[in-house]
Amino acid sequence: MLERDYITELISQFVEAVTRALRLAVEKGDPASCRAVEQQVADLIDLDAQTAMALSPDSLVTMLVLSGMGDSVASYVCYALDRVSRVYEEHGEEDLAGLRRLQSQAVGESFGCDPATPPEELASLDAELFGSTEEDA
């Protein structure tokens, strides 16, 4: 019960911070907001952002597994990395976009989540910022 409450709180904080950061990244083109999304992903797996975001896709998956919370947070990580890759791509940051996309795909394949399908708590944000609809999912 306490573990579930802890994970629920972590996810809630993650959703709130990622919502704010993605909105700024997309609407204002703010690169610091992309780094804020990456920081939130790193926080979920208890690593500093620079280390976490430099990991190969397979190593990132390994860290999610080792965190003990991979199954609970994978869809959020998968989603956040995919959407931040789109923002990087839009701003011409092809290398960063490619790495984030590969990280997202690796998480998705390992934990059975689809980068194209936002977690329920992020579905309305996704529709607003990226134009996805429930029919797309």
Side-chain angles (χ1 to χ4, degrees), residues 1-17 40 44 69 72-73 76 121:
M1 177 83 158
L2 286 176
E3 183 179 348
R4 187 178 68 208
D5 290 346
Y6 172 72
I7 292 171
T8 300
E9 180 60 27
L10 272 179
I11 290 171
S12 176
Q13 291 172 0
F14 178 86
V15 167
E16 184 178 314
Q40 293 304 311
L44 280 179
M69 295 193 312
S72 300
V73 301
Y76 298 92
E121 302 92 332

Side-chain angles (χ1 to χ4, degrees), residues 12 30 32 36 38 42 44 52 56 59 77 82 87 98 102 106 112 120 122 136:
S12 176
D30 179 19
E38 295 166 346
L44 280 179
S56 72
S59 294
V77 170
D82 180 74
V87 174
L102 291 173
E120 184 178 328
L122 294 164
D136 293 340

